[in-house]
Amino acid sequence: MTDLREARVAVIGGGPAGLMAAEVLVEAGVSVDLYDAMPLVGRKFLLAGRGGLNLTHSEGADRFAQRYGERRIQIAALLGEIDATNLRAWAQGLDIETFVGTSGRVFPRDMKAAPLLRAWLHRLRHPAHGGAGVQFHMRHRWLGWRQDGRTLRFETPQGELGVQAHATVLALGGGSWARLGSNGAWVLLLVARGVAVAPLLPSNCGFDVAPGTRSPPPGQALPVRAVMPGAGWSEFFASRYAGQAFKTVALVFTDSRGRRFERKGEFVATATGVEGSLVYAASALLRDEIIRSGYAVPHIDLLPDWTAERVRAEVRHPRGSRSLSSHLKGRLGLDGIKAALLHEVLGREGVHHSEALAHAIKALPLPLVAARPIDEAISSAGGVLFEGLTPDLMCEALPGVFCAGEMLDWEAPTGGYLLTACFASGKRAGQGVLRWLAR
């Protein structure tokens, strides 16, 4: 048993998970040294909050847990430590008022991440009990362990540093946004020590479309050439519409396992494919299907508020001397990027086939052949397997080493779910360290 007042714990990683673990520990009177490779902590946290810090979500616990897909049981267990309700109370303790937006998402009243982070760091440095606060060590890049298996190695501006601690919390992030410190370099270090790690994959990411995509008539299979290697729109489409949004559409996708996604929303055309909130929401299913089959084919409903019968009737309506573009705009309100996508996928002949055109407006196949690189993704999937961790998130292969945050094997959509799970896992890891030291 270790006297908590004499214990020293190393927390590696200055994101939300690492900071939350440090808070639990320092409030218990433990001496905490926090190491981060970057000049400042919370870089990704600040960037994620640039357009408004989505702290958590107000929906019910069951629905909230379902957002974590195949890891919902493991994450639900962590959310018992800090869920959406007491996360708002925690923010209030930092004098940060929050509100629930129309979509159910929770934001700070001023929408900014910086005031919350500043208040949090002040409390970590100056805990309420008056004891020693967290000691921050910046520009300290973790290199693993020395040959004794216990001494932590850090690369610093002054050269390599060796550190010994009674316990270690690893909160190193996933594999996205390497420029902010989350580069996944820890994977090989842990695998070498016998820790089971699932490969890191992009999550909440964009995708590349198949080159030369042409939709077949209704009822026919997608042509093989639509899923050939390579990616990108035609030069015409990319040059005119990259960066523009598809508004008020629906994305429908059923994977080869029978899992179905259907939702209305928006997404954006990129130079080589698609990205944006609606695509991100389906990204896990799309990515996994591409891994299994080599491609995924979601269907886009360009007029989700119209019935198929109404669309068919309007397409078949005589257009007289009007051009097809004028007809689509006048009768169905389809122009701009939506009309261009129909031409891109159907081709010149396809758009003049009334049955194929009507079918495509309600279910336009959009073959995708690759997720964008992980460093472009908002978050990542994969990581340290829960099966190799104790309930306190300690590595069974490395007693005294705990893991938290995005480096664990889970993923979630945007909307506050990512941050909430990072906070919750950080708190569990911190409490786990306390229990470990008290044995």
Side-chain angles (χ1 to χ4, degrees), residues 136-435:
F136 290 87
H137 306 272
M138 309 313 299
R139 294 187 174 90
H140 281 57
R141 185 176 302 280
W142 184 56
L143 301 176
W145 293 268
R146 289 184 175 170
Q147 289 186 347
D148 61 12
R150 296 184 58 187
T151 304
L152 299 164
R153 298 175 57 209
F154 292 94
E155 176 188 303
T156 79
Q158 290 73 41
E160 183 171 318
L161 174 70
V163 172
Q164 291 197 0
H166 292 93
T168 301
V169 177
L170 301 178
L172 293 155
S176 62
W177 299 21
R179 68 188 184 279
L180 300 181
S182 298
N183 59 12
W186 54 265
V187 171
L188 293 179
L189 300 175
L190 293 188
V191 170
R193 295 294 301 274
V195 178
V197 180
L200 297 180
L201 300 170
S203 182
N204 292 297
C205 58
F207 293 86
D208 291 334
V209 299
T213 296
R214 288 292 181 267
S215 175
Q220 292 187 19
L222 191 72
V224 174
R225 63 189 175 88
V227 291
M228 292 172 59
W233 303 110
S234 67
E235 182 179 351
F236 174 87
F237 187 91
S239 64
R240 286 166 174 76
Y241 297 102
Q244 294 191 26
F246 293 95
K247 297 185 177 182
T248 316
V249 296
L251 188 151
V252 181
F253 177 66
T254 302
D255 71 6
S256 56
R257 294 181 177 179
R259 297 180 296 177
R260 181 177 174 83
F261 175 93
E262 182 173 359
R263 188 177 303 175
K264 287 173 59 177
E266 298 182 5
F267 66 92
V268 176
T270 67
T272 60
V274 292
E275 64 179 16
S277 58
L278 189 56
V279 172
Y280 299 157
S283 63
L285 288 182
L286 296 171
R287 179 202 64 222
D288 291 349
E289 185 65 18
I290 290 172
I291 292 173
R292 280 192 300 270
S293 306
Y295 63 95
V297 188
H299 287 77
I300 309 301
D301 186 344
L302 297 174
L303 294 174
D305 297 325
W306 289 43
T307 65
E309 291 74 16
R310 182 184 176 190
V311 169
R312 187 175 295 108
E314 294 297 345
V315 168
R316 289 176 172 175
H317 191 279
R319 59 187 174 95
S321 60
R322 290 196 304 174
S323 67
L324 178 61
S325 296
S326 297
H327 182 71
L328 291 176
K329 182 177 180 180
R331 304 296 304 188
L332 297 102
L334 290 174
D335 60 355
I337 192 170
K338 288 186 178 182
L341 183 63
L342 287 169
H343 283 82
E344 180 78 2
V345 176
L346 293 176
R348 181 173 298 179
E349 295 181 3
V351 293
H352 288 90
H353 187 294
S354 61
E355 187 62 26
L357 178 58
H359 183 270
I361 290 170
K362 292 297 292 179
L364 187 68
L366 190 63
L368 306 175
V369 291
R372 294 297 300 165
I374 191 170
D375 198 42
E376 296 180 15
I378 291 176
S379 59
S380 60
V384 177
L385 294 173
F386 283 91
E387 289 76 9
L389 300 172
T390 70
D392 279 335
L393 303 182
M394 184 177 75
C395 297
E396 293 180 345
L398 295 172
V401 177
F402 298 75
C403 297
E406 201 177 325
M407 66 183 296
L408 299 176
D409 178 32
W410 61 276
E411 64 179 314
T414 58
Y417 309 104
L418 293 165
L419 270 180
T420 303
C422 286
F423 284 123
S425 62
K427 187 167 186 178
R428 172 64 66 85
Q431 292 174 337
V433 170
L434 294 177
R435 285 187 279 268

Side-chain angles (χ1 to χ4, degrees), residues 20-34:
M20 185 59 75
E23 179 170 89
V24 170
L25 293 165
V26 78
E27 286 181 350
V30 177
S31 295
V32 177
D33 290 282
L34 189 146

Side-chain angles (χ1 to χ4, degrees), residues 67-100:
R67 302 295 188 178
Y68 299 93
E70 296 180 357
R71 289 302 191 184
R72 59 185 178 276
I73 294 176
Q74 290 87 352
I75 300 299
L78 300 179
L79 294 176
E81 308 294 342
I82 181 167
D83 60 11
T85 299
N86 47 37
L87 188 54
R88 294 186 69 188
W90 170 83
Q92 183 63 52
L94 294 170
D95 293 327
I96 302 296
E97 293 187 13
T98 58
F99 72 96
V100 180

